[in-house]
Amino acid sequence: MYETTYHRAASVSDAVAKLGSAEDGKLLAGGQTLLPTMKQRLAAPSDVIDVTRIDDMKGITETGSGVRIGAATTHAEVATSDIVKRLLPGLATLAGHIGDPHVRHRGTIGGSVANNDPAADYPSAVLALGATVHTDKREIPASEFFTGMFETALGEDELITAITFPVADACAYAKYPNPASRYAMAGVFVAKTADGIRVAVTGAGQDGVFRHEGLEAVLSGSFSADAVAGVAIDDGNLLSDIHGSAAYRANLITVMAKRA
């Protein structure tokens, strides 16, 4: 690991100021991606700004129409929250199956969403539930936030402070995890919302998370596992690697959608 300067931010404004004044600063939440990358000397930020002690970025609250989750809230806190389990059980299930206990007690929802790893779990929930990503500058709808593999609409000096999820009539998540990493080889989040049926897929797309219009269409007509079986999953834009071919992932999408 290269030498870096560590800062502990006291507030959102303090974090943004420290980031802006750094030559090459990086925000640190759970550190599940940043720290391993730094240890491998693939990243060498001049400054690391820790945002995990900022009260405004922590906690889970019920709003009039949904759930607000602070960006520095850990996966374990999301998984065990009575509010999340009652209003968005699919999101609680998703959080409870991220990585292992060590990862769940350190990793944060904001860090995961900001990183937008193509095999991460949270992006599917954010997209399927039509969540809103709140930053220090603006509010970004889920449909505009994810722009490609490891890419988002965030600016270089922009900080996620919270994510708000509208309540769904029903929601569930199912994934096939890589046995070693626990990352999703294919994960499907199904949500019945006020805007209709939404289905988001993670772990399988070449460009990261995406909505599947074919699955949404059949489930809008018949909200059942049997309806999913007849949907053809095009593997033309799916990942293919040593863990599984595009055709294999296409089949996993069908299977995970049925389970969800």
Side-chain angles (χ1 to χ4, degrees):
M1 183 182 289
Y2 294 105
E3 182 178 340
T4 189
T5 301
Y6 171 83
H7 307 270
R8 178 176 291 170
S11 64
V12 171
S13 59
D14 184 37
V16 173
K18 284 181 166 61
L19 184 63
S21 62
E23 179 182 350
D24 179 22
K26 295 292 184 183
L27 297 168
L28 174 68
Q32 300 305 294
T33 298
L34 178 60
L35 294 183
T37 304
M38 291 173 65
K39 288 178 179 179
Q40 296 175 66
R41 294 198 168 194
L42 298 175
S46 61
D47 299 77
V48 172
I49 299 97
D50 187 342
V51 300
T52 59
R53 304 298 180 91
I54 300 175
D55 290 339
D56 290 344
M57 291 179 58
K58 299 170 68 175
I60 300 168
T61 56
E62 183 175 352
T63 66
S65 58
V67 178
R68 179 191 184 277
I69 303 178
T73 304
T74 66
H75 311 323
E77 290 170 326
V78 175
T80 58
S81 165
D82 290 336
I83 293 174
V84 178
K85 287 191 289 185
R86 174 167 51 87
L87 298 177
L88 295 169
L91 183 60
T93 299
L94 179 153
H97 289 85
I98 294 175
D100 55 29
H102 301 286
V103 170
R104 292 193 289 274
H105 282 84
R106 290 299 303 172
T108 64
I109 186 172
S112 176
V113 171
N115 191 48
N116 191 23
D117 189 296
D121 298 288
Y122 278 123
S124 65
V126 172
L127 194 57
L129 290 168
T132 300
V133 179
H134 301 260
T135 78
D136 62 300
K137 301 178 184 298
R138 55 183 171 150
E139 298 180 356
I140 310 174
S143 59
E144 300 174 10
F145 184 80
F146 303 107
T147 59
M149 185 180 292
F150 291 108
E151 296 180 354
T152 70
L154 289 172
E156 289 293 328
D157 61 345
E158 197 166 7
L159 170 64
I160 297 178
T161 56
I163 301 173
T164 53
F165 295 86
V167 174
D169 295 331
C171 66
Y173 177 69
K175 76 171 178 179
Y176 187 86
N178 179 299
S181 69
R182 312 306 296 169
Y183 274 108
M185 289 184 62
V188 180
F189 199 105
V190 177
K192 181 186 289 187
T193 72
D195 296 326
I197 307 300
R198 298 166 67 101
V199 179
V201 179
T202 190
Q206 292 184 12
D207 296 322
V209 66
F210 64 94
R211 285 177 60 183
H212 198 286
E213 294 179 357
L215 290 171
E216 292 177 348
V218 297
L219 289 174
S220 296
S222 175
F223 195 69
S224 68
D226 291 338
V228 172
V231 179
I233 307 295
D234 183 3
D235 65 5
N237 199 36
L238 298 185
L239 289 170
S240 184
D241 55 26
I242 61 173
H243 304 295
S245 66
Y248 181 66
R249 281 184 165 86
N251 181 66
L252 285 179
I253 291 172
T254 298
V255 175
M256 294 305 113
K258 290 174 69 175
R259 291 181 183 179

